[in-house]
Amino acid sequence: MNFFKRNKPESKKELPVCPVPATGSSHPFSFIKNYSPVSMCEYELYKNLREAVPIIDAAIDKTVRLMGNFEVTAGNASVDRELALFLNTVSVNGGNKGIYPFITTYINEMLTYGEAVGEIVLSRDNSEIAALYNASLRDVAITAAGSPLNLTVCRNDGGLTPAKNQNLIMPTLLNPEPGTVRGTSILRGLPYVSGILLTILDSLKKNWERVGDVRFSVTYKPDSSSPAVTKKQAQQIADEWSKAMRSSEVCDFVAVGDVNVKVIGADNQILDSTIPVRTLLEQIIAKLSLPPFVLGISWSSTERMSAQQADILTSELEFYRSLISPVIAKIAKLFLRLKGYDDNVEVKWDLINLQDEVELSKALLNKAQAKEIERRTEVEYEDRTSY
């Protein structure tokens, strides 16, 4: 049974939920603060992590977009045109068209959770590919059928039921640990650091609520010894002060007697969070393998440093491309076989950016100049030794 057509039972067994103790001083994303490395709520953890820390969400989205475009060729012009038309018009998920939305979601799931599962949906008569579907990782489980080398995708419907037509299902694991069939998310190791960052930001929010929203302390020292008169004057001062504070216009407060007005918290200073926040962001960005300037952060000012960081980013993207290329090739090969063509295809990715093309041109030029210098040196040496 296909994932996109599955019939969910009425009493579906819910996934295990991690209990989170309620504390009055915890920040809104206490799920991350109470992170445990061994947890059944790993998917929810990474989802909340992306929602809680915007720089993590932005880094994954930018990584997906930086993967660039690709084309699939079969070595024949007419077949290539037909294949390109299919890849640009195939139905994807709930109404998208083209393979790019499918691949974008696929990469997004792979980076966030360390695993991704896609499905090729055939037409009713099995004569052509009708759609591509990104399966939710909460509804499936990747298991080893007798051997870690044989991956089997099962439906998570209260048990583990192997899905039909495993040859139409495409699982991908990111950096699996030896002897396991579980992928490793690029967010592993970030919940603890992110929890500290969220604590600092939440404290900063509370401090600004206390200090930024000015509160006043009004002290009245009465001259009269009569308690009744003192109470009446104090009530009048309180009423006038409240009236002045509630007014939308600028008002002056006038009182008779010894009245002292002070700002609560004016003498206190909010702790400087620049250094600790930057330290935590450096840890997060180092784990995500993105140069800071890609995220709009100007930490390195030298051009050479930026070029080196761009080279590192290029190597990371090439690695992710190597994991996605077999998925694209499998879809293209099945399409060609159903059409009666040879399934020899090649996935060609575009250059990541213009800088790569410039650097490649410089390298070819330097190599050609080096060969020319070597040739001239050999000719001059032969001329000198001939005498």
Side-chain angles (χ1 to χ4, degrees), residues 356-372:
D356 294 337
E357 189 172 357
V358 173
E359 294 297 331
L360 179 60
S361 301
K362 290 181 179 179
L364 294 176
L365 177 60
N366 293 335
K367 186 176 181 180
Q369 291 176 344
K371 289 184 177 181
E372 180 64 19

Side-chain angles (χ1 to χ4, degrees), residues 289-306:
S289 302
L290 275 180
F293 66 85
V294 175
L295 299 171
I297 301 176
S298 301
W299 285 344
S300 60
S301 57
T302 61
E303 182 180 356
R304 183 172 180 82
M305 179 66 71
S306 299

Side-chain angles (χ1 to χ4, degrees), residues 1 38 53 86 126 128 143 152 156 185 228 238 251 276 293 303 310 355 376:
M1 181 178 293
V38 182
V53 186
F86 160 74
N126 295 331
E128 60 181 359
T143 61
T152 301
N156 192 357
S185 169
C251 297
F293 66 85
E303 182 180 356
Q355 181 180 356
R376 292 180 180 178

Side-chain angles (χ1 to χ4, degrees), residues 62-69 107 317 320-321 324 349:
K62 288 183 181 295
T63 301
V64 174
R65 288 194 294 269
L66 287 173
M67 291 283 290
N69 297 329
I107 300 173
L317 297 178
Y320 297 144
R321 284 178 171 184
I324 300 300
W349 292 86

Side-chain angles (χ1 to χ4, degrees), residues 32 35 45-46 49 53 55-56 60 185-197 280-288:
I32 298 171
Y35 159 71
L45 171 67
Y46 294 144
L49 193 62
V53 186
I55 197 170
I56 294 178
I60 294 179
S185 169
I186 65 172
L187 305 183
R188 174 176 288 187
L190 292 185
Y192 177 72
V193 176
S194 301
I196 300 175
L197 177 62
L280 295 172
L281 290 179
E282 286 175 348
Q283 297 291 324
I284 294 175
I285 293 177
K287 185 65 173 64
L288 297 175

Side-chain angles (χ1 to χ4, degrees), residues 71 91 97 100 117 197 213 233 240 254 266 281 291 296 329 335 352:
E71 63 177 3
S91 299
K97 293 290 184 179
Y100 289 104
V117 176
L197 177 62
D213 188 6
Q233 291 177 345
E240 293 299 323
V254 180
L281 290 179
F335 170 79
I352 295 176

Side-chain angles (χ1 to χ4, degrees), residues 105-350:
T105 304
Y106 197 91
I107 300 173
N108 208 307
E109 295 278 297
M110 182 187 70
L111 296 180
T112 304
Y113 306 113
E115 303 170 359
V117 176
E119 181 184 5
I120 301 175
V121 182
L122 298 180
S123 59
R124 294 185 180 275
D125 56 358
N126 295 331
S127 62
E128 60 181 359
I129 297 177
L132 302 175
Y133 179 72
N134 294 104
S136 173
L137 295 177
R138 296 170 180 81
D139 299 329
V140 300
I142 302 176
T143 61
S147 171
L149 301 178
N150 186 11
L151 298 182
T152 301
V153 179
C154 301
R155 295 173 54 194
N156 192 357
D157 52 0
L160 294 180
T161 306
K164 296 181 179 179
N165 300 324
Q166 292 286 327
N167 58 328
L168 300 178
I169 303 174
M170 302 165 291
T172 298
L173 303 179
L174 176 63
N175 297 327
E177 296 182 358
T180 66
V181 289
R182 291 295 308 275
T184 303
S185 169
I186 65 172
L187 305 183
R188 174 176 288 187
L190 292 185
Y192 177 72
V193 176
S194 301
I196 300 175
L197 177 62
L198 292 175
T199 300
I200 295 176
L201 297 179
D202 189 62
S203 300
L204 189 64
K205 168 181 171 292
K206 292 178 179 178
N207 287 333
W208 274 101
E209 287 177 348
R210 294 190 181 100
V211 180
D213 188 6
V214 181
R215 291 170 172 83
F216 298 92
S217 172
V218 182
T219 304
Y220 168 56
K221 297 180 180 180
D223 296 333
S224 175
S225 59
S226 174
V229 175
T230 301
K231 182 178 180 181
K232 182 178 180 180
Q233 291 177 345
Q235 187 63 43
Q236 289 177 349
I237 293 174
D239 293 341
E240 293 299 323
W241 180 261
S242 299
K243 181 179 178 181
M245 291 295 100
R246 289 195 301 267
S247 177
S248 59
E249 300 178 355
V250 178
C251 297
D252 295 327
F253 172 71
V254 180
V256 179
D258 190 0
V259 180
N260 186 18
V261 179
K262 290 184 178 180
V263 177
I264 299 177
D267 298 333
N268 297 329
Q269 294 182 355
I270 298 177
L271 294 176
D272 186 10
S273 60
T274 303
I275 295 179
V277 167
R278 172 168 176 170
T279 302
L280 295 172
L281 290 179
E282 286 175 348
Q283 297 291 324
I284 294 175
I285 293 177
K287 185 65 173 64
L288 297 175
S289 302
L290 275 180
F293 66 85
V294 175
L295 299 171
I297 301 176
S298 301
W299 285 344
S300 60
S301 57
T302 61
E303 182 180 356
R304 183 172 180 82
M305 179 66 71
S306 299
Q308 292 175 348
Q309 291 174 343
D311 292 338
I312 297 174
L313 175 60
T314 301
S315 64
E316 290 289 331
L317 297 178
E318 291 291 347
F319 171 69
Y320 297 144
R321 284 178 171 184
S322 66
L323 298 178
I324 300 300
S325 293
V327 176
I328 301 172
K330 182 173 182 178
I331 298 172
K333 287 182 178 181
L334 180 58
F335 170 79
L336 294 177
R337 288 199 297 267
L338 292 175
K339 294 294 183 179
Y341 300 129
D342 293 334
D343 61 354
N344 296 324
V345 297
E346 181 182 3
V347 181
K348 296 181 179 179
W349 292 86
D350 295 341

